Amino acid sequence: MSDEEKLNDLLARLAERPDDPDLLRQTAYQHDRMGLEHEAVPYYERALELAQEDRLGLWTGYGSTLRVIGRFEDAVAAFDRGLAEFPGDPALRAFRAMACYNLGRSREAVGELLHLLAEKEQLGGYERPAAYYADHLDETV
């Protein structure tokens, strides 16, 4: 089945069950897969109103989609709401950092990414200094 056929199938099923959070989620994801991010937004929003499952994926996809379409402030707000539900989630934090970068908040973005790398022990033993400098990027001696 082609992407377009999958989307048409989801839309037909959604017409019969418009408040099905799983169909809304799948429809949002399918729009994203097809490069139709603008069209995905209302499906994400409705899914987040109704869904009890895969909320982490919904917040990540929704925020990422908002960032891709240039709604950077909305993306940060979405990631913040997702992080309120899933504190410390690395994907939400990484995508939030990208949106901060897009807003010209480079220091915040780099600092968050350094914290994330240090917490995940991805810096070959340099986690402690990286964590320090994440909050002191402009410090020199």
Side-chain angles (χ1 to χ4, degrees), residues 106-112 114 130 132-140:
S106 299
R107 182 177 296 128
E108 182 180 353
V110 170
E112 181 61 28
L114 285 171
Y132 174 82
Y133 285 113
D135 296 323
H136 303 91
L137 285 169
D138 296 316
E139 185 175 304
T140 60

Side-chain angles (χ1 to χ4, degrees), residues 39-98:
E39 291 85 348
V41 170
Y43 296 102
Y44 276 117
E45 292 171 344
R46 186 70 178 136
L48 282 163
E49 289 175 16
L50 300 171
Q52 298 301 311
E53 296 180 20
D54 192 31
R55 291 188 62 78
L56 177 57
L58 283 167
W59 282 120
T60 306
Y62 179 51
S64 177
T65 294
L66 291 171
R67 191 192 74 77
V68 166
I69 64 174
R71 292 177 53 187
F72 307 128
E73 291 283 354
D74 292 335
V76 170
F79 292 129
D80 286 344
R81 289 177 63 197
L83 285 164
E85 286 187 41
F86 303 95
D89 180 75
L92 289 171
R93 290 169 64 193
F95 279 95
R96 185 184 185 283
M98 286 188 269

